[in-house]
Amino acid sequence: MSDRRKFVKLSLLGSAAVLGTGSLLAAPRKEQDFEDVLYAPVKDNPIVISTWDFGKEANTAAWEILGKNGKALDAVEAGVKVPEADPKNQSIGLGGRPDRDGKVTLDACIMDEKYNCGSVMCLEHIVHAISVARAVMERTPHVILAGDGALQFALANGFKKENLLTEKSEKEWKEWLKKSKYEPQINIENAGYHKDPMPGGKDNHDTIGMLAIDANGDLSGACTTSGMAYKIHGRVGDSPVIGAGLYVDNEVGAATSSGVGEEVIRIAGSHLVVELMRRGLSPEDACKKAVERILKFNPAKAKEVQVGFLAINKKGEYGAYALQKDFSYAVKSGKEEKIYTSKSIY
Ligand code: ASP
């Protein structure tokens, strides 16, 4: 335990307390015996991890910054901008699959080592939603901007208006419309690897969530997506929701998610994973516990959808867990560059 400090929290409710309503707690509360585990940081040993196989390329861009002792915040922004700008990636940024009305709407958020965070929801026409989220964080007193307000803010801050709907995504959407009953197809993005394959195949869906530790030992994270294909216009998933799609606590670690966002939001997934690491769980065990919570509250649904969590602790240990198989993630550090596949319930 030499590399981590343990703190035992004592309950402040040591004696009987009178509540505002006049009710009296029957017996004095005992000392709480849970522990917060605050890890010693990994200094001089930067690392970046991100969701899915396409995370590998994104990690390379992040490493350009991390490897030169740059800040984790700059690294995660630069990293996720790679799939955002790639028209072949149909689940993030340019070329993302549209909603059922044919509009590409982006969700993104970013969080640094000081609990600073910024988010955009349902943003249209701007390729780098992550940079708009960062601008929200750094240039406004707010955390979230949504819809047209987010677009107006982006334009006022020098971002370029572009058409994000590529020919390929438009063609596929028109195909989908033929059979569509205008119901949200909540599992459509996961279909690529455990149901009917979608055009584009397994590597062409889902969100990028990226977590990094820099040479100073500080953590940051970024998460960006075009969300579930053919969603109802205005739908927001977990990815831009701080605590759901992403959470960073510089004393403990960070977590991110991919999969059906509705299931992640319900359990405040990424925050839950970080809090479980705070209690001493390894990143993989913390991710597993969060996945099991989804399974517990709705086992029938859990069989049908994909949710995967990816986490890193302050020591630089990382891990992941998913409901369905084939949730992959990419790792880059001074020691390794690798793509792993997480364990899963099914
Ligand atoms: N989590 C994203 C959403 O619900 C989609 C995904 O990662 O597949 O919008």
Side-chain angles (χ1 to χ4, degrees):
M1 298 286 171
S2 58
D3 55 351
R4 63 184 194 186
R5 295 166 289 144
K6 288 183 160 192
F7 297 87
V8 178
K9 275 204 170 171
L10 303 179
S11 167
L12 295 174
L13 296 172
S15 55
V18 179
L19 301 177
T21 56
S23 65
L24 191 67
L25 294 179
R29 282 255 192 108
K30 284 201 181 143
E31 200 177 84
Q32 301 286 307
D33 58 359
F34 69 80
E35 293 174 347
D36 280 4
V37 180
L38 308 182
Y39 298 101
V42 279
K43 288 222 175 199
D44 303 319
N45 213 352
I47 178 167
V48 57
I49 62 175
S50 53
T51 53
W52 303 110
D53 294 18
F54 51 66
K56 186 168 183 269
E57 264 185 284
N59 286 355
T60 303
W63 192 256
E64 285 287 305
I65 293 169
L66 286 178
K68 293 177 189 142
N69 295 344
K71 275 180 70 69
L73 181 69
D74 295 327
V76 294
E77 182 191 7
V80 304
K81 281 172 81 170
V82 173
E84 278 187 338
D86 181 358
K88 293 192 297 310
N89 188 318
Q90 289 180 281
S91 59
I92 300 162
L94 177 66
R97 292 195 178 91
D99 63 22
R100 67 184 192 180
D101 297 342
K103 295 175 175 164
V104 181
T105 65
L106 306 181
D107 289 342
C109 75
I110 193 159
M111 190 161 185
D112 75 4
E113 77 283 4
K114 291 182 184 139
Y115 293 108
N116 294 311
C117 43
S119 158
V120 286
M121 299 178 173
C122 208
L123 172 68
E124 290 182 62
H125 305 302
I126 307 288
V127 174
H128 292 302
I130 198 66
S131 301
V132 185
R134 183 167 178 177
V136 172
M137 174 173 102
E138 292 177 341
R139 300 182 209 168
T140 82
H142 308 306
V143 169
I144 304 168
L145 290 179
D148 189 54
L151 175 61
Q152 293 316 320
F153 168 79
L155 296 176
N157 279 273
F159 289 86
K160 201 169 121 218
K161 190 170 180 178
E162 286 178 62
N163 174 26
L164 304 184
L165 186 63
T166 54
E167 239 172 71
K168 186 176 192 310
S169 289
E170 186 173 12
K171 205 167 148 221
E172 287 176 12
W173 164 65
K174 286 187 174 153
E175 269 309 300
W176 176 83
L177 274 182
K178 286 183 192 162
K179 288 193 194 142
S180 158
K181 292 183 187 137
Y182 282 97
E183 283 168 355
Q185 308 277 298
I186 61 159
N187 203 23
I188 195 116
E189 299 210 58
N190 303 314
Y193 57 93
H194 72 105
K195 280 197 176 165
D196 318 288
M198 283 188 82
K202 142 176 156 50
D203 293 338
N204 237 348
H205 58 82
D206 294 294
T207 299
I208 186 156
M210 177 178 277
L211 312 170
I213 304 181
D214 61 28
N216 201 34
D218 286 329
L219 276 153
S220 286
C223 188
T224 179
T225 189
S226 53
M228 304 301 286
Y230 319 133
K231 60 197 174 185
I232 293 175
H233 181 65
R235 179 264 189 188
V236 170
D238 57 324
S239 310
V241 178
I242 301 293
L246 177 72
Y247 199 70
V248 177
D249 185 318
N250 206 41
E251 286 189 329
V252 177
T256 188
S257 61
S258 185
V260 177
E262 283 74 3
E263 308 313 312
V264 177
I265 292 170
R266 266 183 247 291
I267 63 159
S270 291
H271 183 261
L272 174 62
V273 171
V274 170
E275 290 307 302
L276 289 167
M277 291 194 290
R278 192 192 303 279
R279 297 294 179 90
L281 266 65
S282 71
E284 181 181 306
D285 287 349
C287 292
K288 184 173 184 221
K289 273 253 178 292
V291 166
E292 284 170 350
R293 191 166 295 183
I294 294 172
L295 182 68
K296 191 173 162 197
F297 79 72
N298 196 342
K301 183 73 157 287
K303 258 194 200 137
E304 292 301 310
V305 301
Q306 172 65 308
V307 169
F309 290 104
L310 173 66
I312 191 163
N313 67 21
K314 209 44 191 169
K315 286 204 288 185
E317 296 166 339
Y318 54 82
Y321 213 88
L323 276 171
Q324 313 292 338
K325 63 186 172 65
D326 288 341
F327 175 52
S328 61
Y329 61 99
V331 178
K332 175 137 180 75
S333 70
K335 284 180 251 157
E336 67 169 332
E337 180 168 22
K338 216 167 161 181
I339 295 176
Y340 292 93
T341 302
S342 82
K343 291 184 196 150
S344 61
I345 301 280
Y346 296 108

